[in-house]
Amino acid sequence: MNALPLLSTVIWLPIVAGIVILFTGSDRNAGLARLLALVGSIAGFLVALPLWTGFDATAHGFQFVERAPWIETFNVFYHLGIDGISLLLILLNCLTTVLVVIAGWKVIDTRVAQYMAAFLILSGLMNGVFCALDGLLFYVFFEATLIPMFIVIGVWGGPNRVYAAIKFFLYTLLGSLLALVALIYLYLAAGNSFAFQDWYALPIPFYAQVLVFFALFFAFSVKVPMVPVHTWLPDAHVEAPTGGSVVLAAIMLKLGGYGFLRLSLPIVPDASRELALFIIVLSLIAVVYIGLVALVQADMKKLIAYSSISHMGFVTLGIFLFNAVAAEGAVIQMISHGFVSGALFLCVGVLYDRVHSRQIADYGGVVNRMPVFASFFMLFAMANAGLPGTSGFVGEFLVIMGAAKVSFWYAALAGTTLILGAAYTLWMYKRVVFGAVANAHVAALVDLSAREVLFMTVLALCVLAMGIYPAPFTEVLHVSVNDLLAQAAKSKLP
Amino acid sequence: MQSIGFPVPDLAPAAPEIFLLTAACVILMVDLFLKDESRWVSYSLTLATLAGCAYLIGSGSGATVYTFSDMFVRDPMADVLKVFVCIAVAGILIYGRGYVGARGMYRGELFVLALFAALGMMVMISASHLLLLYLGLELLSLSLYSMVALQRDSRPAVEAAMKYFVLGALASGLLLYGMSMIYGATGTMQLGQIASAIAAADNPKVWVLGLGVAFIVAGVGFKLGVVPFHMWVPDVYHGAPTAITIFIGSAPKMAAFALLMRLLVSALEAMVSDWQQMLVLLSVLSLAIGNLTAIVQTNIKRMLAYSTISHMGFVLIGVLAGDLNGYGSAMFYVVAYVLMSLAAFGMVLLLSREGFEADMLDDFKGLNQRSPWYAFVMLLTMFSMAGLPPTIGFYAKLSVLQAVFAAGYAWLAVVAVVLSLIGAFYYLRIVKLMYFDAPQDMTPILPQPDMRLLLSANGLSILVLGILPQPLMALCIASIQYSL
């Protein structure tokens, strides 16, 4: 196995495939571009599978490590490695890419090659973020993801796409530029080293920890996104094409949560512990307040976007409770949210492709025309509401349990999501799917095609598998999460 | 020769300059006998001269040699910068060929002036004496003034030339005034001797020196085009023919950087605390005003002019770090900047054609539909200028920021980062115009093959050097280490 650098393959295969697709050029070769994209994304998923089978869940530290000098002047290494947390996110990413390619198969008919290439390149770059063990490498991948997403929203998005794309870009860039300053500080403080391992071992005085914490917080909280820097997300989601929304919700938001886990907690543990209350309050505001905001949305995509923010509040809450149950719950919640929000955006996409409206008021009685679709949509709506037996339940339950260990009130407030989530999701579901056929557009609806059934089924299986038997997912996390928390529990004050 | 009483200097270190000068004179003569349709002869001769010159520089020993009574120095920094100057000038001529051809400027004068400008830059880069520095600077400046005015029936061009000349003369005056004060305080004009005179004096004439430093910084500030000495930059960039704007906006920045190194570091390093404060002010102002004003521009040449101002602010940040790390990263920044600037103006030249300047932002609308490849080249250039990975611009900013952070100016790094976020907006707008908007005219883009090849290579180099920045970065930093 040593012959093939698996992680590099996982990163570079989709990127190379994306570049090859770009060379198919104009829309005359759209069919070829689609085919190449499908082959590339499936190959990307297949090369990620040996990571799963070869992963030793009992081992400490990083696995599949690759290390080569990259920029000697700054002592930067091309240093890759994964633990349980990255493993799950990489698999989620590779799977989502395949689904997005299939979902965009018919819908995208202008500049197909560029669309498909953007998603494949994006997928490779995000794998890079999850694999990087070197600060600069991490930052390069982290920032580079902005470019394809900016293009995707701006070129194939809705009427207000330009505003949304620029807002998305500038918001995230502001956050990450401040993080760059923090990375430079760490580089100099660690004696000219960008290696995560050196940063983990580096003693940092408290005031500096607080500054670094906030610099990183800006970068990751914008990505997650947390209240009050969440306002770009509804805009971006509403305007992005379906594929863009899916990748944004399923993977890109996870970059923020992953950043908190990989950088903030282990590098500045004292500041993280001291400021945990700050994050917890913001997370609870996201869970409760954004849940209420979601309730009143008239646009389905906006509703799911707000629901994403609310669910990501659970992730940040779980991370900053500093106990193993909650942290595992947070990671599980990230994966589950990847499946569920991705699936919900695909559902809305299915409706939008047929009716060209995202307004709840334009629908009603869809079940009469699209029974198969209605059942899939039902499952995903239930998962979003956190029904036991679906993946949504596992993460939320673990986080609430972890919260109860710390404080009753955290748990009580977090628990409101079970009510709010059910309320906004099911109410939307009721208005869209049930009732009498609302208008001529709905009457003309056609049920899912085989292609659509295919990606819905894959997601439904994932949601159910994770809900009914989550052990394989939690198993790979145990050691990684416990090591991480042990690291975060140690004081690094000099 | 002994009888004349004049020691013959060692000419070998100056061989590239001597070759360039000779070749420029030959081309001037040859061109007189050429008809318009065989102008390609002088064009090819010019390119061959630059290639030969680069070869002569590259084949040197790489050691530091002084000659002409220590007035002229050839060190690794000079060699590296001169090679880049030759490459840049050759690139400019290739990019500009179609443009100048369509506007009646495809004449021998242009080539000869370009070669003289290159010679001026090389002399500036290698000077280790105040007088020689000034000579090189004037040779460069006078060639540039005339190149701007070459399109003599264009009102904006003539106006730009006039402005450039008047303000350039003012800058030269300031510089000379500063030099005379330095000479007055130290009694020498050789840079190394100035440094040792300041170090040896038990009571250095501080206020004369300080005043001299202030005038020198102001003069160099004019040449670099940093705030508050930037007024000429947008007008000249805008008014000059694009093929000349690309010249002004690229290679001379490397020469100005060398000027900064020679004056402030080789001669006046003992005064570092004086000039550091001035450079802090200049760099912050340049970043702020350059980036903010660029946002409201509708003309891409003006926008790039303001963007140049902010980039020069970044170069100053590297220099003011005041150590080898900082100088090396500033040099890397300048070289990276020249690469990006060539690509950006090259794109403007690519879109222009006879009777159409393509200098408005809206001319970039829908470029992705007209030519996906060149839209991608421009996308890379813009993201590189904004400092986004994986492009060379990111590493340029990173190296400067870490240098200034290490020098204890963390706040400056934060300010620079916030202001470059503002800068990102107008670069993004170009990308937006190219990718999100529909094209206004569908005229096919048909550049000459050499330009097509060079522009593609230029764009790719921004990406490739962004993925593997090590060679260029190491080259810049090593050359500074062995020179200063």
Side-chain angles (χ1 to χ4, degrees):
Chain A
M1 278 319 277
N2 287 340
L4 186 69
L6 270 181
L7 293 182
S8 287
T9 319
V10 166
I11 296 172
W12 293 103
L13 186 96
I15 295 181
V16 171
I19 292 169
V20 171
I21 292 168
L22 278 182
F23 279 103
T24 62
S26 75
D27 285 337
R28 282 195 305 277
N29 301 327
L32 181 62
R34 290 191 184 106
L35 193 65
L36 279 173
L38 186 66
V39 173
S41 59
I42 290 179
F45 181 64
L46 291 181
V47 294
L49 285 179
L51 294 177
W52 172 263
T53 52
F55 188 81
D56 179 359
T58 55
H60 297 265
F62 294 101
Q63 304 185 26
F64 303 104
V65 173
E66 291 168 35
R67 191 165 186 270
W70 178 31
I71 309 175
E72 284 97 339
T73 312
F74 290 134
N75 211 3
V76 182
F77 285 85
Y78 176 75
H79 191 181
L80 306 174
I82 56 168
D83 63 0
I85 304 169
S86 354
L87 172 69
L88 291 184
L89 288 166
I90 290 171
L91 290 171
L92 173 68
N93 182 15
C94 294
L95 179 65
T96 309
T97 309
V98 180
L99 297 180
V100 163
V101 168
I102 299 176
W105 198 266
K106 284 254 171 61
V107 187
I108 301 295
D109 48 8
T110 53
R111 286 178 265 173
V112 179
Q114 292 185 352
Y115 179 86
M116 295 296 178
F119 278 106
L120 282 169
I121 292 173
L122 189 58
S123 156
L125 293 173
M126 290 192 295
N127 278 337
V129 177
F130 297 133
C131 293
L133 292 182
D134 182 284
L136 196 71
L137 190 65
F138 176 88
Y139 186 82
V140 167
F141 282 128
F142 190 80
E143 281 282 88
T145 56
L146 289 184
I147 301 173
M149 196 39 121
F150 175 70
I151 300 288
V152 165
I153 297 177
V155 175
W156 295 276
N160 205 11
R161 61 208 156 87
V162 173
Y163 169 78
I166 291 187
K167 188 171 177 183
F168 158 77
F169 195 96
L170 290 182
Y171 245 99
T172 27
L173 187 63
L174 170 67
S176 39
L177 281 175
L178 289 171
L180 179 63
V181 178
L183 297 192
I184 292 175
Y185 166 80
L186 291 168
Y187 161 75
L188 294 168
N192 294 3
S193 167
F194 273 110
F196 280 172
Q197 300 297 351
D198 294 341
W199 291 358
Y200 290 167
L202 176 73
I204 308 171
F206 187 71
Y207 79 94
Q209 285 207 18
V210 171
L211 290 177
V212 170
F213 178 84
F214 275 109
L216 295 177
F217 168 76
F218 270 113
F220 301 142
S221 63
V222 168
K223 266 271 178 354
V224 166
M226 294 174 71
V227 178
V229 285
H230 64 282
T231 60
W232 64 269
L233 187 77
D235 284 318
H237 268 317
V238 168
E239 297 304 329
T242 306
S245 292
V246 172
V247 169
L248 198 58
I251 326 286
M252 266 196 129
L253 305 188
K254 296 349 180 248
L255 299 181
Y258 179 78
F260 278 123
L261 285 169
R262 183 64 77 231
L263 276 88
S264 299
L265 288 198
I267 293 172
V268 287
D270 301 282
S272 301
R273 280 197 306 273
E274 288 297 319
L275 294 165
L277 184 63
F278 168 67
I279 305 279
I280 289 172
V281 169
L282 287 183
S283 309
L284 288 173
I285 291 177
V287 170
V288 179
Y289 168 69
I290 298 295
L292 288 171
V293 172
L295 208 49
V296 298
Q297 297 306 315
D299 179 314
M300 284 189 276
K301 264 190 156 180
K302 229 172 188 160
L303 189 145
I304 302 169
Y306 279 112
S307 137
S308 280
I309 302 172
S310 172
H311 281 98
M312 289 305 285
F314 259 89
V315 173
T316 46
L317 176 69
I319 292 173
F320 281 88
L321 286 170
F322 289 94
N323 66 53
V325 178
E328 265 178 38
V331 181
I332 295 287
Q333 171 79 348
M334 284 205 265
I335 307 296
S336 151
H337 177 255
F339 292 138
V340 176
S341 67
L344 285 175
F345 277 118
L346 285 171
C347 287
V348 176
V350 164
L351 288 179
Y352 182 80
D353 294 339
R354 290 164 169 74
V355 180
H356 294 283
S357 165
R358 296 181 305 259
Q359 301 298 319
I360 297 174
D362 289 346
Y363 293 92
V366 170
V367 68
N368 300 319
R369 289 288 173 270
M370 304 174 73
V372 180
F373 169 76
S375 2
F376 278 116
F377 197 8
M378 180 66 154
L379 173 68
F380 299 131
M382 287 299 178
N384 201 43
L387 187 81
T390 63
S391 63
F393 174 73
V394 184
E396 289 183 6
F397 178 70
L398 287 174
V399 173
I400 294 175
M401 206 156 77
K405 283 189 183 174
V406 181
S407 151
F408 166 75
W409 288 109
Y410 295 167
L413 282 170
T416 58
T417 194
L418 295 173
I419 302 161
L420 285 172
Y424 60 70
T425 320
L426 298 183
W427 190 33
M428 172 192 76
Y429 185 77
K430 181 220 143 209
R431 284 179 289 167
V432 171
V433 176
F434 293 140
V437 172
N439 53 41
H441 288 302
V442 175
L445 283 175
V446 198
D447 210 344
L448 298 182
S449 65
R451 180 179 60 86
E452 289 161 338
V453 171
L454 174 68
F455 59 70
M456 292 285 181
T457 312
V458 172
L459 281 168
L461 287 178
C462 292
V463 166
L464 285 174
M466 211 171 156
I468 295 168
Y469 188 57
F473 296 92
T474 48
E475 257 164 28
V476 294
L477 287 175
H478 278 313
V479 176
S480 306
V481 167
N482 282 322
D483 286 357
L484 185 72
L485 288 174
Q487 168 82 22
K490 271 187 276 182
S491 172
K492 280 176 65 181
L493 297 175
Chain B
M1 297 299 267
Q2 208 62 17
S3 56
I4 312 170
F6 175 70
V8 178
D10 177 12
L11 294 179
E17 282 83 356
I18 295 168
F19 170 73
L20 189 56
L21 177 62
T22 321
C25 297
V26 170
I27 291 169
L28 182 62
M29 297 306 292
V30 168
D31 189 71
L32 285 178
F33 300 97
L34 289 178
K35 291 197 180 66
D36 266 346
E37 59 271 18
S38 43
R39 199 67 67 197
W40 61 270
V41 175
S42 33
Y43 172 77
S44 326
L45 278 176
T46 310
L47 291 185
T49 303
L50 289 165
C53 190
Y55 171 76
L56 280 176
I57 302 163
S59 61
S61 66
T64 302
V65 202
Y66 286 85
T67 182
F68 295 108
S69 323
D70 291 352
M71 285 176 85
F72 185 96
V73 61
R74 178 170 184 186
D75 52 15
M77 179 184 93
D79 282 352
V80 171
L81 284 175
K82 282 187 220 170
V83 169
F84 282 122
V85 163
C86 290
I87 296 174
V89 173
I92 290 160
L93 290 173
I94 294 174
Y95 282 157
R97 188 159 66 105
Y99 182 95
V100 296
R103 281 159 190 77
M105 292 155 63
Y106 189 55
R107 292 197 303 263
E109 294 93 303
L110 177 69
F111 306 131
V112 175
L113 284 172
L115 287 180
F116 274 121
L119 179 64
M121 288 187 257
M122 288 167 64
V123 171
M124 262 168 95
I125 291 170
S126 262
S128 67
H129 191 277
L130 294 182
L131 276 185
L132 198 61
L133 266 181
Y134 184 73
L135 271 178
L137 180 62
E138 283 306 283
L139 182 56
L140 166 66
S141 303
L142 288 169
S143 312
L144 288 181
Y145 305 148
S146 349
M147 280 162 82
V148 173
L150 213 54
Q151 199 181 8
R152 59 168 182 260
D153 41 7
S154 151
R155 276 179 53 129
V158 175
E159 184 190 323
M162 203 62 204
K163 269 185 193 149
Y164 194 18
F165 175 68
V166 172
L167 286 171
L170 179 68
S172 301
L174 286 175
L175 201 60
L176 269 186
Y177 202 40
M179 286 175 175
S180 69
M181 286 179 191
I182 303 286
Y183 175 63
T186 58
T188 173
M189 290 205 278
Q190 205 279 332
L191 302 183
Q193 288 169 14
I194 293 175
S196 40
I198 296 175
D202 30 292
N203 179 22
K205 302 181 184 67
V206 174
W207 64 273
V208 184
L209 276 175
L211 218 54
V213 170
F215 276 109
I216 281 182
V217 168
V220 179
F222 257 112
K223 295 293 172 193
L224 273 175
V226 289
V227 181
F229 311 109
H230 67 291
M231 265 70 112
W232 63 273
V233 179
D235 288 344
V236 172
Y237 274 47
H238 183 188
T242 312
I244 310 301
T245 310
I246 185 176
F247 202 119
I248 301 172
S250 56
K253 303 297 176 194
M254 292 192 278
F257 167 77
L259 182 72
L260 208 58
M261 284 293 107
R262 299 286 182 213
L263 282 173
L264 295 187
V265 181
S266 300
L268 299 166
E269 189 152 33
M271 310 288 291
V272 61
S273 55
D274 290 64
W275 53 257
Q276 205 168 29
Q277 298 309 315
M278 299 180 208
L279 294 194
V280 169
L281 192 67
L282 296 189
S283 62
V284 171
L285 283 176
S286 304
L287 285 172
I289 293 185
N291 279 324
L292 286 173
T293 323
I295 291 178
V296 296
Q297 304 305 320
T298 51
N299 180 297
I300 189 160
K301 282 157 81 180
R302 283 189 94 82
M303 191 205 92
L304 287 173
Y306 283 105
S307 120
T308 305
I309 294 172
S310 73
H311 283 296
M312 290 305 116
F314 256 105
V315 172
L316 289 189
I317 290 183
V319 174
L320 71 85
D323 54 11
L324 289 179
N325 183 4
Y327 308 145
S329 50
M331 180 163 160
F332 178 58
Y333 199 103
V334 172
V335 174
Y337 163 75
V338 169
L339 210 57
M340 301 186 278
S341 158
L342 285 177
F345 283 111
M347 283 300 301
V348 181
L349 288 169
L350 176 85
L351 296 187
S352 69
R353 54 182 181 269
E354 197 163 354
F356 178 64
E357 289 291 330
D359 61 350
M360 301 308 286
L361 289 182
D362 285 349
D363 296 333
F364 277 80
K365 271 191 178 170
L367 187 60
N368 185 36
Q369 270 138 301
R370 295 171 65 192
S371 163
W373 170 246
Y374 292 112
F376 180 66
V377 167
M378 190 65 174
L379 169 107
L380 285 176
T381 312
M382 288 298 114
F383 279 130
S384 179
M385 283 193 165
L388 240 81
T391 57
I392 188 173
F394 167 70
Y395 298 95
K397 287 206 163 63
L398 174 76
S399 57
V400 164
L401 288 177
Q402 63 83 23
V404 76
F405 206 118
Y409 285 93
W411 67 269
L412 193 54
V414 175
V415 169
V417 153
V418 172
L419 289 170
S420 59
L421 173 77
I422 296 171
F425 173 75
Y426 59 85
Y427 298 123
L428 269 189
R429 191 168 52 187
I430 303 263
V431 176
K432 175 227 150 199
L433 289 170
M434 292 189 305
Y435 279 82
F436 304 172
D437 289 352
Q440 284 182 331
D441 75 315
M442 287 299 287
T443 319
I445 300 166
L446 299 166
Q448 286 125 338
D450 50 351
M451 173 159 192
R452 189 188 304 233
L453 201 65
L454 188 67
L455 194 56
S456 306
N458 195 340
L460 276 182
S461 71
I462 289 173
L463 180 64
V464 170
L465 286 168
I467 295 169
L468 300 167
Q470 172 64 17
L472 184 59
M473 213 181 252
L475 181 70
C476 290
I477 288 174
S479 72
I480 287 278
Q481 267 164 356
Y482 291 120
S483 302
L484 297 172

